[in-house]
Amino acid sequence: MAFIHSYLAIQKIRFEDKIEIDTRIDKTVMEEEVPFMLLHTLVENAVQHGSQLESNRNLLRLTIEKSTRQLEIVLTNQACKKKGHAGFGIGLEVSKKRLHHLYGREDLLTSHTSADGVYTTRLTIPIRGNDV
């Protein structure tokens, strides 16, 4: 999480008032493990494709909560509406493949854009010791 906070601090300097960052992290999750660089990939994806690339203000919100069997990580941001803005589409696909390889499941990472233009990425990580 220290790495994520540092990365977001740099992005805040880069985009100044165009990006607002809100992290809501349950203190009980700090002992849990997340596959290496997976969370950073998702946060970087939100920054790279967010509306701050246009003139809009973008609220990037990262929420991490823990239930008895899993971590729930939700990342939201305002999607870029500019035509022609697209990435290579590799970040999320590689992350999905990694999760499938690690946990044998294909439902752990989902993303969608709502009608009001909010892009939501939801990551579920089974907590060690539980059936996956």
Side-chain angles (χ1 to χ4, degrees):
M1 283 312 305
F3 182 75
I4 297 296
H5 285 297
S6 295
Y7 173 79
L8 289 172
I10 290 168
Q11 297 308 315
K12 181 68 177 159
I13 293 167
R14 177 181 175 205
F15 289 110
E16 298 175 337
D17 292 337
K18 288 186 171 188
I19 190 169
E20 181 180 343
I21 298 166
D22 179 22
T23 55
R24 300 172 184 202
I25 302 165
D26 183 347
K27 292 183 188 334
T28 64
V29 305
M30 299 310 282
E31 299 299 318
E32 300 303 328
E33 294 180 7
V34 174
F36 182 71
M37 294 299 287
L38 182 63
L39 185 56
H40 174 73
T41 300
L42 301 179
V43 171
E44 184 178 38
N45 190 64
V47 170
Q48 292 290 357
H49 302 291
S51 68
Q52 73 278 357
L53 300 173
E54 301 170 331
S55 60
N56 302 4
R57 185 171 176 87
N58 186 18
L59 171 60
L60 189 149
R61 178 172 286 142
L62 172 64
T63 305
I64 306 176
E65 298 175 332
K66 180 178 171 182
S67 69
T68 56
R69 301 187 67 176
Q70 58 199 18
L71 289 179
E72 288 290 336
I73 301 168
V74 178
L75 187 60
T76 60
N77 64 289
Q78 197 67 34
C80 188
K81 297 174 188 168
K82 191 183 292 183
K83 287 188 177 188
H85 173 78
F88 296 108
I90 346 179
L92 290 178
E93 285 307 311
V94 169
S95 296
K96 287 178 183 181
K97 287 178 183 176
R98 284 185 65 205
L99 288 164
H100 183 262
H101 177 73
L102 290 168
Y103 300 103
R105 293 175 52 186
E106 296 185 17
D107 62 336
L108 299 177
L109 178 60
T110 61
S111 60
H112 70 279
T113 304
S114 65
D116 61 350
V118 174
Y119 190 80
T120 301
T121 304
R122 180 177 301 276
L123 171 63
T124 303
I125 301 289
I127 293 176
R128 62 178 179 241
N130 290 313
D131 294 333
V132 292

